[in-house]
Amino acid sequence: LAEARTLLGLSELALANGDPGQAVVLGQQASDAFRDMGALLYDVRALNLLTEAHAALGDTAAAKAASDEAAALSRELAAGTQLS
C-alpha cells in the first residue's frame, strides 16, 4: 500500500508542477496497484486525479472515462457491494 500511495503522491506533485503527462503515468500505476490490492477508496482518489490530469492534457474522452469509473466505484462502495 505504501508504494501505491507514494505513486499517487508523486502523481499529485507532477500535476501541481504542470506535468499532467507524468501525472497520468504515475496515477495509472497507482490506480492499478490500488485495484490489485482491493484498496478501492484509494483507487477512487487515483481515478479522480487521473480525471484532472487527462483534462489538463485536453483529453476529454480519457477524463470522462476516468471520472465515470470513479463515480461507478464510489456508488459500489456507498452501496456496500465493495468493502475496501
Side-chain angles (χ1 to χ4, degrees):
L1 184 61
E3 183 178 337
R5 289 178 63 189
T6 298
L7 287 167
L8 181 58
L10 291 171
S11 179
E12 291 169 337
L13 284 173
L15 186 59
N17 287 320
D19 191 353
Q22 185 66 17
V24 167
V25 171
L26 294 167
Q28 190 61 59
Q29 291 173 354
S31 176
D32 292 343
F34 290 135
R35 191 172 306 116
D36 289 346
M37 285 184 268
L40 301 181
L41 288 173
Y42 281 108
D43 192 19
V44 169
R45 184 173 164 196
L47 289 165
N48 285 330
L49 183 123
L50 284 168
T51 298
E52 290 182 50
H54 284 299
L57 289 169
D59 188 347
T60 56
K64 183 175 180 342
S67 178
D68 289 348
E69 188 175 352
L73 188 52
S74 293
R75 284 191 296 273
E76 287 179 34
L77 288 166
T81 58
Q82 298 288 333
L83 299 176
S84 296

